[in-house]
Amino acid sequence: MAALDLYQGWCLPHLRARLRGRGELRQRTLILSARHGLLKADNPILPYDQPLTPDRAAALETEVRAGLADHLRALPAAEALLLLEPVYLALLGYPPVPLVHIVTDPVRHWSAAEGVLDAWGW
């Protein structure tokens, strides 16, 4: 199943609804997984249960940051929206783009994320 479609919790149902039928936007959407590292929205994965521990974050960090750099080379961006808990943000680091929007609790503050997505026409 596509990564964006597999995850059912947190803010992903809201994000998935906004991206439905908009493949060009799904291509720009990444998911940071404790098991798989950085995934494109349509990468196929199987269900799993793995928390992000400090050891796991350390094991993923180089791969995740390189994956983000590769993604931004292929699809340059002037802005990024990060919907990440602080532990995931520490793993990812800040994207090398001029403007970064961060929402660390997009369940309770989905309107902040929506404001950015609305401004982008997403």
Side-chain angles (χ1 to χ4, degrees):
M1 175 176 277
L4 184 63
D5 299 327
L6 176 70
Y7 294 106
Q8 298 302 314
W10 219 43
C11 67
L12 289 172
H14 297 298
L15 183 59
R16 189 171 38 252
R18 289 184 75 102
L19 300 181
R20 186 169 288 120
R22 301 186 71 187
E24 74 283 359
L25 299 182
R26 285 178 70 108
Q27 290 177 6
R28 301 188 78 78
T29 302
L30 300 174
I31 297 168
L32 184 51
S33 160
R35 162 82 43 99
H36 302 288
L38 201 60
L39 297 167
K40 295 178 181 176
D42 290 318
N43 283 143
I45 61 171
L46 296 171
Y48 67 91
D49 182 22
Q50 174 149 11
L52 184 62
T53 64
D55 287 343
R56 185 66 185 146
L60 289 172
E61 184 176 339
T62 299
E63 175 187 335
V64 163
R65 292 181 183 203
L68 178 59
D70 289 346
H71 180 79
L72 288 171
R73 271 192 292 281
L75 296 167
E79 295 183 45
L81 171 60
L82 305 180
L83 306 174
L84 296 170
E85 294 177 43
V87 65
Y88 282 87
L89 181 57
L91 164 60
L92 181 68
Y94 289 92
V97 298
L99 182 57
V100 178
H101 308 271
I102 301 170
V103 181
T104 59
D105 186 353
V107 173
R108 289 190 352 195
H109 301 285
W110 178 246
S111 62
E114 278 188 314
V116 173
L117 295 170
D118 288 346
W120 292 351
W122 285 43

